[in-house]
Amino acid sequence: RRARGDDELLPHREYSIASVPADGALHLVVRQQVLADGTLGAGSGWLTAHAGVGDVIDLRVRRNAGFHAPADGRPVLFVGNGTGIAGLRALLKARIAQGHQRNWLVFGERHAHADRLHVDELEAWHAAGGLERLDLVWSREARGPRYVQDRLRAAADAVRRYVADGASIYVCGSLAGMAPGVDAALRGILGDGGVDDLAAAGRYRRDVY
């Protein structure tokens, strides 16, 4: 957390961990933030532009008890965008390792050719059967639904069937735009009472920032 050549500690930043312990390493997905004046964000700028290979980084792992995958084989609908793939990837990898294959991921990014965050891996999981359904939404290229909330609305009947089968819903990614958009889409599909009941039962969980 120290800037190179500077004794001042950088502010704390929290990132979702994209890996599982069996990976033997800690993986993050960090998007470089560029501010309006052209300067880089404090945390992302240091990690992407200043920290060198072999540098020592002080960190601590904070357990997020509210965003652990269910231990049983129930269906799970994962929804996210951008760097939110980090938290979702870890949950998916853990479930697939446990043999739970009823996983549906709706993931959104900007460009299919440039923003393929773990997408090759996701497609391999889908081909192998560990990911039952994979919906990729590219907002800058779509002619139809542009965002994950649009894709959910387009698949409303499938969402209702998944929930009727006992599915839990996990949302990870942007607090501005995506998370409220997904919540509104789910409420339109399942009704306010349906979403509130899922949340009360611990079946609707969010890690948004």
Side-chain angles (χ1 to χ4, degrees), residues 72 74-76 102 160-168 198 203:
D72 57 29
R74 77 183 70 176
V76 180
R102 293 215 63 192
R160 282 190 284 266
R161 286 195 298 269
Y162 230 57
V163 171
D165 285 347
S168 291
L198 288 175
R203 292 172 56 196

Side-chain angles (χ1 to χ4, degrees), residues 119-200:
V119 168
D120 291 344
E121 181 179 48
L122 297 173
E123 290 177 337
W125 287 346
H126 184 220
L131 191 50
E132 186 174 53
R133 177 167 173 172
L134 174 62
D135 287 58
L136 300 174
V137 187
W138 308 106
S139 63
R140 300 299 186 266
E141 301 177 13
R143 295 181 180 178
R146 291 185 61 194
Y147 302 109
V148 291
Q149 55 265 38
D150 300 324
R151 183 59 60 89
L152 289 173
R153 291 189 182 95
D157 288 343
V159 172
R160 282 190 284 266
R161 286 195 298 269
Y162 230 57
V163 171
D165 285 347
S168 291
I169 301 173
Y170 285 71
V171 180
C172 190
S174 173
L175 178 60
M178 188 278 293
V182 166
D183 189 74
L186 291 173
R187 290 179 182 278
I189 296 167
L190 303 171
D192 287 337
V195 172
D196 292 341
D197 288 346
L198 288 175

Side-chain angles (χ1 to χ4, degrees), residues 57-136:
I57 300 175
D58 295 330
L59 59 84
R60 65 185 177 92
V61 177
R62 184 174 67 82
R63 186 174 185 268
N64 185 355
F67 207 70
H68 285 188
D72 57 29
R74 77 183 70 176
V76 180
L77 169 59
F78 297 96
V79 185
N81 72 331
T83 58
I85 193 60
L88 300 180
R89 186 228 184 215
L91 298 184
L92 274 166
K93 190 163 189 179
R95 276 182 56 85
I96 291 170
Q98 294 164 357
H100 303 319
Q101 298 184 328
R102 293 215 63 192
N103 304 304
W104 175 7
L105 173 64
V106 182
F107 174 67
E109 251 294 357
R110 298 173 184 173
H111 300 282
H113 67 284
D115 299 309
R116 295 180 61 82
L117 303 176
H118 290 289
V119 168
D120 291 344
E121 181 179 48
L122 297 173
E123 290 177 337
W125 287 346
H126 184 220
L131 191 50
E132 186 174 53
R133 177 167 173 172
L134 174 62
D135 287 58
L136 300 174

